[in-house]
Amino acid sequence: MEDGTGCPDICIIGAGSSGVAVAKALKERGIAFACYETGSDIGGMWRYRNDNGMSSAYAALHIDTSRDNLGYPDFPIPKHLPDFLSHAQFLAHLEAYADHFGIRPLITFRTAVTAVTPAGDGRWQVSLSDGRRIPYRHVVVANGHLWDPRLPDFPGQFDGTTLHAHHYRTSDPFEGRRVLVVGLGNSAVDIAVDLCRRAAHVAISTRRGAWIMPKYLMGVPVDRWSALLSRRLHLPTRLTRMIMARLIRLAVGDQRRFGLPRPAHPMWREHATLSQDLLPAIGHGRITMRPDIARLDGDGVVFTDGARDPFDAIIYATGYRTSFPFLDPGLARQALGDESRPALYRRILSPACPGLAFAGLVQPIGPTIPLVEIQARWLASLLSGAMAPAGPEDQRREIARHHAVQRRTWLDSPRYALEVDYKTYARQLRRDMARGQAGI
């Protein structure tokens, strides 16, 4: 798709796993595009110490989705790689994917998008860090959503070292120190386990707890059991997760034995935290559990149970804000609606701002990479004219329906603002493409 002057009429922002997938899908449709990446190479969050400044990868990071469920459908991950890839192994796979499909030469590196503003005539003006301003008919935002740290606001003052998990890289600076990790998501647990091998002691503070799920069940990656129940036996997602909860309870036992509070909600209503190492670390006394923080207190922390413990450092693994620094805040609110529940048709298109699309702005129950690849093909199908768009009213009805499902299914928490069920969502996108008409 060009603007009549031979210039591409589509702009992709970002060359991580989502931006590369969109670029590949557009290229296969013969659609011209421009793709801008702030850093010097592809990879996004998977490039450790990425010079775009947006990667949250730490040295010990391994992906929680197992190898056979992780890769792009038409470029599977080689079987000789381990069940759970490191960030470096997945980055190498992403690079091989981009090179195999000839994507890297189509990306403009070391060029940041500094602003996206309405240009009139249904176009968007994209301002670049090199001073250029270029109008595009369509802008695909693929800048990721795990890079802008969300920090809690506790009363009091802490005199030691504080940082967000986004800035954690290795345990070296914490050798011999007492460290508190705040949060009980996957990053919090990974970092706590990494730290406990070098730190004097590690504690984890959690406000409401989380279900802890091992990475292996009977020697098989746990997500392969889920795939067996959901895809091969065609069980609904909720029933699949209920069965998995029972199996995990049999394998792990009652997590309250380890000082982990049992959540008030069933496992199917949240993202379980995957860790093969947390419970053994607690059992060996290398990690202790603490309740929520009541206040910071100089060289220590007072918890809601009244206990006070001294610490040298606090690491906040408290999630991320969904941010678009190139969009004016008012325009971002217009495009997405309430940040706590983005109003995007099929989690991709902004009905309020035609021409703006978002790739990878999802948090699925199931693997992310294959789902983003389906998003990319859906978007390429729409932009190529192979699929007719839904009307504005149908788009609004679809968004309202999705929000209703979110409220019924998952917890009312910022962590679940981007939640989708892989199985249902993938089926919707594939159905749209198969019939050549985006629906509700």
Side-chain angles (χ1 to χ4, degrees):
M1 182 180 291
E2 298 179 346
D3 64 1
T5 65
C7 298
D9 210 19
I10 299 172
C11 167
I12 303 170
I13 302 175
S17 55
S18 298
V20 168
V22 172
K24 182 253 188 185
L26 293 177
K27 181 176 183 285
E28 288 189 333
R29 290 274 184 178
I31 302 173
F33 61 88
C35 180
Y36 301 106
E37 164 57 42
T38 303
S40 58
D41 211 335
I42 67 169
M45 69 168 290
W46 300 112
R47 183 169 293 279
Y48 182 60
R49 299 189 186 277
N50 194 329
D51 59 8
N52 69 5
M54 296 171 69
S55 175
S56 298
Y58 39 92
L61 175 64
H62 281 70
I63 297 173
D64 291 326
T65 302
S66 69
R67 180 196 61 232
D68 293 346
N69 291 322
L70 176 66
Y72 297 99
D74 56 353
F75 198 76
I77 295 174
K79 296 288 187 182
H80 71 268
L81 290 174
D83 288 334
F84 296 97
L85 275 63
S86 69
H87 58 79
Q89 289 168 326
F90 181 73
L91 175 63
H93 179 71
L94 178 61
E95 290 178 319
Y97 173 82
D99 292 339
H100 178 78
F101 292 106
I103 303 305
R104 204 191 300 252
L106 305 177
I107 300 169
T108 303
F109 294 106
R110 298 185 179 89
T111 305
V113 172
T114 58
V116 176
T117 55
D121 191 30
R123 293 177 178 271
W124 296 91
Q125 180 170 276
V126 174
S127 300
L128 303 173
S129 56
D130 60 11
R132 288 181 292 161
R133 296 182 178 181
I134 306 172
Y136 292 96
R137 181 71 64 184
H138 301 279
V139 174
V140 181
V141 177
N143 68 318
H145 60 89
L146 297 173
W147 61 269
D148 186 6
R150 185 191 299 275
L151 287 165
D153 184 19
F154 293 117
Q157 179 178 323
F158 180 66
D159 297 336
T161 301
T162 61
L163 71 156
H164 190 275
H166 173 72
H167 301 289
Y168 178 86
R169 294 295 176 263
T170 73
S171 61
D172 295 356
F174 303 94
E175 183 166 7
R177 304 176 75 188
R178 298 161 298 182
V179 186
L180 176 66
V181 178
V182 180
L184 197 57
N186 288 325
S187 294
V189 169
D190 274 359
I191 289 171
V193 169
D194 190 39
L195 282 166
C196 77
R197 301 183 177 99
R198 300 285 295 274
H201 188 66
V202 176
I204 296 176
S205 169
T206 176
R207 179 162 52 93
R208 65 168 174 243
W211 294 101
I212 307 301
M213 180 183 293
K215 284 189 170 183
Y216 287 95
L217 191 59
M218 290 180 278
V220 176
V222 71
D223 62 351
R224 293 188 196 170
W225 289 106
S226 297
L228 171 67
L229 295 170
S230 178
R231 298 178 203 170
R232 295 191 184 180
L233 301 183
H234 306 292
L235 298 183
T237 299
R238 182 182 297 190
L239 180 56
T240 294
R241 303 197 77 209
M242 287 178 175
I243 294 172
M244 291 302 301
R246 294 290 183 92
L247 292 175
I248 289 161
R249 179 69 183 273
L250 287 173
V252 174
D254 189 342
Q255 66 183 41
R256 289 175 292 187
R257 283 195 64 250
F258 298 87
L260 283 155
R262 189 174 181 180
H265 47 271
M267 188 183 290
W268 60 266
R269 294 207 69 202
E270 71 154 20
H271 263 298
T273 296
L274 268 69
S275 177
Q276 198 71 23
D277 303 313
L278 175 63
L279 299 185
I282 294 174
H284 286 83
R286 294 194 295 267
I287 295 175
T288 57
M289 296 303 304
R290 292 290 183 262
D292 196 16
I293 294 174
R295 70 178 187 275
L296 308 176
D297 191 40
D299 65 350
V301 171
V302 178
F303 298 99
T304 53
D305 62 359
R308 183 190 185 279
D309 292 347
F311 291 102
D312 302 303
I314 299 176
I315 298 175
Y316 293 105
T318 47
Y320 296 87
R321 294 187 293 261
T322 302
S323 298
F324 309 98
F326 41 80
L327 295 180
D328 176 83
L331 179 59
R333 283 192 297 273
Q334 179 186 349
L336 286 99
D338 183 358
E339 180 189 350
S340 66
R341 214 174 287 279
L344 296 176
Y345 171 69
R346 288 289 196 249
R347 325 294 72 80
I348 298 172
L349 301 182
S350 170
C353 295
L356 271 187
F358 296 79
L361 198 59
V362 289
Q363 184 72 41
I365 298 294
T368 300
I369 299 298
L371 192 58
V372 173
E373 191 273 343
I374 300 171
Q375 278 191 327
R377 287 191 285 112
W378 186 94
L379 190 55
S381 181
L382 185 71
L383 295 178
S384 69
M387 182 176 69
E393 190 56 39
D394 282 343
Q395 292 190 23
R396 285 189 286 270
R397 282 202 298 270
E398 191 271 349
I399 291 168
R401 184 177 299 173
H402 172 67
H403 288 171
V405 169
Q406 279 187 313
R407 284 189 289 269
R408 288 196 307 269
T409 307
W410 296 290
L411 300 180
D412 186 15
S413 163
R415 187 183 182 195
Y416 298 95
L418 306 179
E419 206 73 13
V420 295
D421 170 31
Y422 178 98
K423 186 177 179 180
T424 300
Y425 182 46
R427 183 171 59 242
Q428 291 169 341
L429 297 180
R430 289 178 177 134
R431 184 182 61 205
D432 290 350
M433 289 186 285
R435 70 183 185 181
Q437 172 67 59
I440 61 172

